[in-house]
Amino acid sequence: MKRSLFLIIIIQTVFIFISCNTEDKILNQSSFNKIGLTRLEYNNPGLLVDLDVGFKSVPMPLDFDGDGDYDLLISESGCYAESGIFYFENISGNVEMPVFRYGMKVSTERFRLGYDGAFFEVSEVNGHIHILTPDRVGEKLLIYKDVPQNVFWDDNEIKLSTKGPNLLPQNKHSYWKLIDFDGDGIHDLLCFAKVLFFLKNTGTDENPKYDEPKVIKMENGAVMGKDILLTSTIADYDNDGDLDYIGVGLFSDFIYFENIGSPQKYKFKSGKQLVYDNEPIQMVSKYGYTTKAKAIDFNNDGSVDIISGDEDGKVSFIKNTGKIINGIPQFMQPKFFQQEAKFVDFGALTAPRIFDWDGDGKDDIISGNGIGNIGFIKNISNDELRFAKPELLKSQGEEILLLPEGANWGYTTIDVGYWNEDSLPDILVNNFNGNVVWFENIGTKTNPELAAAKPIEVQWKGEPQKPEWVPGKINGNNLLAQWRTSPFIMDFNKDGLNDLVMLDYQGYLAVFLRYKKDGNLLLLHPQRNFIYSSGEPILLNQREGSSSGRLKITFADWDGDGLEDLVFSSKPAVDWMKNLGMRNGKMVLQYMGRVISKTLMGHTDGPVVSDFNKDGIPDLLVGTETGVFYYWERDNIDITTTMTTTGKQKPANYKYFKR
């Protein structure tokens, strides 16, 4: 009996030893994702990250759970696939920068609050919290009463005066707020549209009767809506007893209009830009139209602050310091709220690549985004797949932000690979303007360091090719590509030199072959060397204007036959083309159809092939417009699509066409 027990112990020990030594080859798959396409999780307890609801966040700060501190209800308004109202619980209490629990949806699926899920405002009337919004078609003004108790069920119409201009539906992009604007103790109605309107309540709070709207003008007679985006941020910011106003500039800066009148009679001065230490107060996401600012004394210090959402889906706290300089209240720069980490997120419009960036043997995520950053999301897996907080990559010590002058977005789409011949991975980037550059890695394998960006140059045949529509301008022999298209590094002709593959100026899939001359690496004029069996070159995007470009591409052996297939973004999400081999120096591709059938987002997604669990079966990671990543880990290499569970995928019986 003792001998048998001793033998069992030896066998168990040998098994554990073998398991430990094969950990780097095949991780514990039982703890990896085996349930189809899901959102990738940090799986990192205790990690805090920027609070993020998805795409185009509109915050509603209020005590939703009735425990005496401010929580956040946030409308995710921009993504039609995942829109709704999310509850972020304040788990720190009454502190200036609380931590929030990750968001839980409190609305029904695809629910949008009022018109477009973005144009609403919280009003407090005699201790009751109501939300006002135009209805979904912009024809009626709705009031959702007693929101913490009723959530969004008790909706009623507010009757407006039939006299004067009808503010709906021509001003459906409008905010409405109940507030005592003229100091008579009764809550009036303000409309923030192209200009500000005052609708005096000549009734009572219980039985309101609103006069016809009157335009609010400044002391110089001008209206307040020129060159700013009107939001419902009206409050006593300078603590002098009357209501001031703050509007949002076109590039997410803030304009302050001081009220030098009285609580009974307003008199607004012309607007002045809010600054802190001589720098404009400005959101990180620069698209002013989606900056949704709300006025509230969030930290209960007696000065009205600003809580603002942005296009990136994040929510910022803009603290009012209580100081006044030259008549202007002093606000601090926006600071992102923090939340418990749940789903891996790198801001809106993520465009990921998979690469072992820090040389530790584990594949990391490197990604571009809508703002114009490039992020490093470190893989810290052991027996479970888990990730660290995103870290912004730097060039020459400064965080990378490829935001062209005058642009609201950066739209960085990237590839990571060996662009020169020094065995260190570099980064190629396309941006909003379509200017393709590369960041050379001048560090080490385990400690990458990026030099300043350099343009990609092409040895053109004649004049450089320029897309018919693109925001940027061509300079010399620099490559000006279609905007928002990803570059891809691959040795197309197997000559030992990495080439560049991406959409050409007309939307065809093309290769810029590499060659050496006098010790220098150069790129040839693009060639449409990707064809269908018929010999026809592959047009990946035939759309025009701002709908041109946009596609993200990657090559990987998706079906296990030893040839690299094309996986690319499309509608509803991701498609693929099978590599049938080379013919006369050209790659023959066959359209197979969809990889995943679920519509993830409205913008084109960013697919990339991964193998985090190192089982030899390529999996799929997809960056989306909300910033999260969808992940599909396959059990079987023969299953190349989520649309079927048995047998190999057959080619689509229709030709690929960019929808």
Side-chain angles (χ1 to χ4, degrees):
M1 182 66 182
K2 290 182 179 179
R3 183 176 298 176
S4 300
L5 180 61
F6 180 72
L7 183 59
I8 291 173
I9 292 173
I10 291 176
I11 293 172
Q12 288 178 335
T13 303
V14 171
F15 176 77
I16 292 172
F17 176 80
I18 293 173
S19 299
C20 292
N21 279 274
T22 58
E23 184 181 83
D24 287 340
K25 295 181 179 178
I26 302 178
L27 299 175
N28 185 353
Q29 296 177 34
S30 64
S31 59
F32 273 48
N33 171 33
K34 290 292 184 181
I35 55 174
L37 185 72
T38 60
R39 286 180 288 180
L40 184 69
E41 296 194 18
Y42 282 106
N43 194 20
N44 190 347
L47 179 66
L48 298 180
V49 295
D50 297 338
L51 187 150
D52 197 328
V53 73
F55 190 46
K56 298 182 181 179
S57 59
V58 187
M60 291 175 276
L62 73 165
D63 183 6
F64 188 68
D65 55 7
D67 65 354
D69 55 36
Y70 286 122
D71 310 298
L72 289 174
L73 284 187
I74 305 178
S75 171
E76 200 286 325
S77 66
C79 171
Y80 65 78
E82 294 186 358
S83 60
I85 307 297
F86 294 80
Y87 165 49
F88 290 79
E89 180 193 0
N90 180 342
I91 57 177
S92 300
N94 287 306
V95 298
E96 186 163 286
M97 288 295 293
V99 172
F100 294 86
R101 201 177 308 281
Y102 65 85
M104 305 292 290
K105 183 176 282 191
V106 297
S107 65
T108 54
E109 291 299 314
R110 297 189 66 176
F111 171 82
R112 286 192 171 189
L113 182 58
Y115 183 78
D116 208 28
F119 299 93
F120 54 81
E121 175 55 56
V122 176
S123 296
E124 184 174 351
V125 180
N126 303 324
H128 294 265
I129 303 296
H130 309 311
I131 291 179
L132 276 63
T133 178
D135 69 359
R136 294 184 182 181
V137 293
E139 294 180 348
K140 299 178 181 179
L141 179 60
L142 301 180
I143 178 171
Y144 291 85
K145 294 184 176 180
D146 295 314
V147 169
Q149 296 93 328
N150 293 319
V151 192
F152 301 103
W153 312 128
D154 189 4
D155 58 321
N156 304 267
E157 182 181 356
I158 291 182
K159 297 296 184 180
L160 302 176
S161 173
T162 57
K163 300 178 182 179
N166 181 9
L167 299 184
L168 291 170
Q170 65 265 33
N171 288 312
K172 55 191 176 184
H173 288 187
S174 56
Y175 302 91
W176 300 73
K177 188 175 181 68
L178 293 170
I179 193 168
D180 181 10
F181 187 62
D182 56 6
D184 63 359
I186 300 173
H187 287 77
D188 308 299
L189 190 59
L190 293 185
C191 174
F192 307 81
K194 294 178 181 178
V195 297
L196 266 65
F197 296 94
F198 169 43
L199 293 79
K200 180 176 174 58
N201 183 358
T202 58
T204 65
D205 286 338
E206 293 74 21
N207 296 292
K209 182 180 179 181
Y210 300 109
D211 280 355
E212 61 184 82
K214 295 181 179 180
V215 176
I216 298 175
K217 296 183 179 181
M218 295 181 288
E219 62 174 342
N220 62 7
V223 298
M224 300 171 65
K226 185 179 180 181
D227 297 328
I228 64 169
L229 303 164
L230 297 182
T231 62
S232 46
T233 43
I234 191 161
D236 184 7
Y237 293 105
D238 55 7
N239 284 319
D240 65 354
D242 54 35
L243 295 172
D244 312 298
Y245 183 70
I246 291 178
V248 177
L250 300 180
F251 289 90
S252 291
D253 52 338
F254 294 88
I255 312 299
Y256 173 66
F257 298 85
E258 181 187 4
N259 187 349
I260 57 173
S262 67
Q264 290 73 34
K265 190 173 183 179
Y266 66 85
K267 183 187 288 187
F268 289 100
K269 296 179 66 175
S270 57
K272 294 183 179 180
Q273 189 177 52
L274 290 179
V275 298
Y276 184 74
D277 285 344
N278 297 318
E279 291 292 329
I281 303 294
Q282 193 172 35
M283 301 291 287
V284 174
S285 181
K286 298 298 187 293
Y287 188 32
Y289 186 78
T290 54
T291 297
K292 306 300 182 182
K294 308 295 178 183
I296 186 173
D297 181 8
F298 189 80
N299 57 358
N300 297 302
D301 66 352
S303 298
V304 178
D305 313 298
I306 296 174
I307 306 297
S308 184
D310 61 23
E311 184 174 68
D312 220 36
K314 297 180 181 180
V315 178
S316 297
F317 173 54
I318 306 174
K319 179 181 177 178
N320 185 344
T321 66
K323 298 178 181 179
I324 308 291
I325 298 179
N326 297 325
I328 302 177
Q330 300 299 294
F331 290 81
M332 300 184 72
Q333 291 290 352
K335 188 176 181 180
F336 292 135
F337 283 122
Q338 298 293 291
Q339 70 166 72
E340 292 180 330
K342 179 65 173 178
F343 301 110
V344 180
D345 191 304
F346 188 55
L349 304 172
T350 51
R353 294 299 190 190
I354 304 297
F355 205 95
D356 179 9
W357 182 244
D358 56 2
D360 65 355
K362 299 174 183 177
D363 284 340
D364 309 299
I365 300 173
I366 311 295
S367 182
N369 65 13
I371 287 179
N373 302 125
I374 302 175
F376 165 46
I377 305 173
K378 182 177 174 59
N379 183 347
I380 56 172
S381 304
N382 285 316
D383 58 342
E384 293 181 306
L385 185 59
R386 53 180 73 188
F387 294 91
K389 181 178 181 177
E391 173 186 337
L392 297 184
L393 291 185
K394 298 180 179 180
S395 170
Q396 295 184 308
E398 297 290 332
E399 292 177 351
I400 294 173
L401 178 62
L402 293 181
L403 183 64
E405 184 178 356
N408 294 108
W409 307 276
Y411 290 146
T412 43
T413 57
I414 70 167
D415 197 21
V416 185
Y418 302 101
W419 189 238
N420 54 10
E421 296 181 299
D422 63 0
S423 74
L424 293 176
D426 309 300
I427 297 180
L428 270 63
V429 193
N430 189 11
N431 67 11
F432 174 90
N433 275 354
N435 299 117
V436 185
V437 300
W438 71 292
F439 290 92
E440 181 182 5
N441 186 348
I442 57 175
T444 66
K445 184 177 180 180
T446 57
N447 187 26
E449 182 180 344
L450 297 177
K454 304 174 186 177
I456 297 293
E457 295 186 345
V458 178
Q459 306 305 304
W460 302 101
K461 291 181 179 178
E463 291 295 318
Q465 292 181 344
K466 182 182 184 299
E468 185 175 342
W469 187 95
V470 71
K473 296 180 180 180
I474 203 159
N475 183 18
N477 287 332
N478 294 354
L479 173 57
L480 183 67
Q482 303 228 16
W483 77 328
R484 305 173 69 174
T485 57
S486 57
F488 188 79
I489 301 170
M490 70 181 301
D491 183 2
F492 178 83
N493 54 2
K494 307 301 180 185
D495 65 351
L497 298 177
N498 276 330
D499 310 302
L500 173 63
V501 175
M502 63 187 313
L503 269 63
D504 71 7
Y505 76 117
Q506 291 182 328
Y508 287 88
L509 189 60
V511 58
F512 299 73
L513 292 172
R514 208 78 168 276
Y515 72 103
K516 269 188 175 183
K517 182 178 180 181
D518 300 327
N520 297 315
L521 290 170
L522 303 173
L523 284 180
L524 286 171
H525 188 91
Q527 301 174 38
R528 295 172 179 174
N529 285 353
F530 299 90
I531 60 173
Y532 295 109
S533 295
S534 64
E536 177 187 0
I538 293 176
L539 178 63
L540 274 187
N541 189 359
Q542 86 292 346
R543 306 292 293 274
E544 298 177 349
S546 62
S547 294
S548 61
R550 290 181 176 262
L551 293 190
K552 318 300 185 292
I553 64 170
T554 191
F555 281 84
D557 183 8
W558 186 242
D559 57 0
D561 65 356
L563 299 176
E564 290 190 319
D565 309 299
L566 172 64
V567 180
F568 60 104
S569 59
S570 184
K571 292 287 182 71
V574 181
D575 290 5
W576 76 291
M577 294 187 185
K578 180 179 174 61
N579 186 345
L580 300 181
M582 302 294 288
R583 182 200 300 168
N584 299 323
K586 298 183 179 182
M587 183 182 292
V588 182
L589 298 174
Q590 180 180 37
Y591 179 59
M592 299 297 292
R594 300 172 182 174
V595 175
I596 53 178
S597 57
K598 177 181 173 64
T599 298
L600 298 181
M601 307 301 156
H603 290 75
T604 54
D605 302 297
V608 65
V609 173
S610 64
D611 188 17
F612 290 124
N613 63 354
K614 300 182 183 297
D615 64 354
I617 301 175
D619 308 308
L620 185 71
L621 185 76
V622 186
T624 63
E625 72 178 0
T626 66
V628 300
F629 300 90
Y630 276 81
Y631 179 52
W632 178 34
E633 183 177 302
R634 296 192 290 165
D635 288 320
N636 189 328
I637 201 165
D638 288 335
I639 304 299
T640 53
T641 175
T642 61
M643 298 181 67
T644 181
T645 56
T646 58
K648 291 187 176 183
Q649 183 177 3
K650 296 180 180 179
N653 59 6
Y654 51 87
K655 182 181 177 181
Y656 165 74
F657 181 78
K658 172 69 175 73
R659 272 77 67 187

